[in-house]
Amino acid sequence: MQYDCGRLSAFNAVYHPTWGRVKSITQPVAGDNEYAGSSCTTPGAEGYFTYLGSAASPQEPGCTTACKGFYSYDLGSWQIVALNSECTQPGVGGCGPTSAQGRWLKADLAAHPARCTLAYWHRPYWSDKGGTVNRTRYLVRTLYAAGAEVLLVGHQHIYERFTPMNPDSVADPNGIRQFIVGTGGRSSAALATTPPANSEVRNSRTYGVLKLTLRAGSYDWQFVPEAGKTFTDSGSHSCH
């Protein structure tokens, strides 16, 4: 969220005058640079948790360092799950089946069954370079078993939409569709020479945001580019 240093002073000086304008409706997840950047380290993501306050870790009101950073909420008829993919950082406690986050996710999905479920965290599970990221495999398997529809991630400074897949990267109409939306303005990254399996649309030259409309039983997506750019991507899909 805040490059290249996640200290509170940097959030206040740089993030707050820009993206901070929507702080009151922001429901965030932490990324790698919240814990350590190229110009400083912030053990326990203290700047991030202090700046965002209880919105960053609602299970621990008032926590300002080494917080869990995972939670869920209802949005209309949708169940929304915000997870922390910085699995080894203080306070997170891992992402596997015996971790606090893994156990919590399985219990939370069981306690809040919904036809449509969306999850988001920082690091892609399916990478533009191909393959998957092992650290979040259990989270994806748990979401897939619960029938989740959408996974939103960032980290890679590109936009990419995948076809719905099962956790083993096989196209599956009852699978999870991942969107990589790392186009917030820090920089752009080169795309892999060969598109990964089941990649549908990708772009690395346009900053912008992804607008999702979550309906009862379906969702629409639209990539909204920065002023002066023409790349976009849109579509609709039903929940399974």
Side-chain angles (χ1 to χ4, degrees):
M1 294 176 70
Q2 172 58 45
Y3 285 92
D4 285 308
C5 175
R7 289 177 179 161
L8 180 59
S9 58
F11 268 97
N12 286 328
V14 182
Y15 185 92
H16 190 70
T18 54
W19 292 103
R21 288 177 290 180
V22 293
K23 180 181 176 183
S24 65
I25 59 170
T26 298
Q27 292 170 297
V29 290
D32 54 326
N33 285 111
E34 271 62 75
Y35 293 91
S38 62
S39 59
C40 76
T41 59
T42 50
E46 183 175 6
Y48 165 81
F49 286 113
T50 300
Y51 175 77
L52 274 305
S54 296
S57 195
Q59 297 189 72
E60 309 164 286
C63 182
T64 58
T65 186
C67 312
K68 294 176 180 177
F70 52 86
Y71 56 96
S72 68
Y73 53 96
D74 296 327
L75 190 60
S77 61
W78 283 66
Q79 171 71 353
I80 311 296
V81 184
L83 298 173
N84 194 336
S85 62
E86 302 311 299
C87 307
T88 62
Q89 292 293 345
V92 184
C95 295
T98 62
S99 70
Q101 182 168 211
R103 295 194 307 270
W104 172 86
L105 174 62
K106 186 173 182 178
D108 188 74
L109 290 170
H112 302 91
R115 182 184 176 192
C116 304
T117 299
L118 178 151
Y120 59 101
W121 60 69
H122 182 63
R123 295 177 185 261
Y125 176 67
W126 289 283
S127 171
D128 181 63
K129 298 177 182 178
T132 59
V133 176
N134 188 60
R135 69 167 64 195
T136 55
R137 181 175 297 276
Y138 176 75
L139 303 180
V140 171
R141 289 190 179 280
T142 303
L143 289 163
Y144 175 77
E149 314 295 332
V150 177
L151 173 59
L152 299 178
V153 296
H155 192 59
Q156 295 179 342
H157 295 190
I158 61 172
Y159 172 79
E160 188 161 18
R161 170 170 57 87
F162 291 81
T163 193
M165 289 184 277
N166 69 22
D168 297 318
S169 305
V170 177
D172 180 348
N174 294 318
I176 299 172
R177 166 173 275 132
Q178 177 184 272
F179 293 88
I180 300 175
V181 192
T183 52
R186 164 59 174 85
S187 59
S188 296
L191 296 169
T193 303
T194 302
N198 299 312
S199 174
E200 294 182 323
V201 175
R202 57 187 192 145
N203 181 278
S204 65
R205 297 183 178 181
T206 308
Y207 297 136
V209 298
L210 182 66
K211 175 184 177 182
L212 288 175
T213 303
L214 306 182
R215 307 183 186 279
S218 67
Y219 62 96
D220 306 336
W221 70 86
Q222 179 187 5
F223 183 86
V224 182
E226 62 180 317
K229 298 291 185 177
T230 58
F231 169 77
T232 189
D233 178 40
S234 63
S236 300
H237 199 82
S238 297
C239 299
H240 43 67

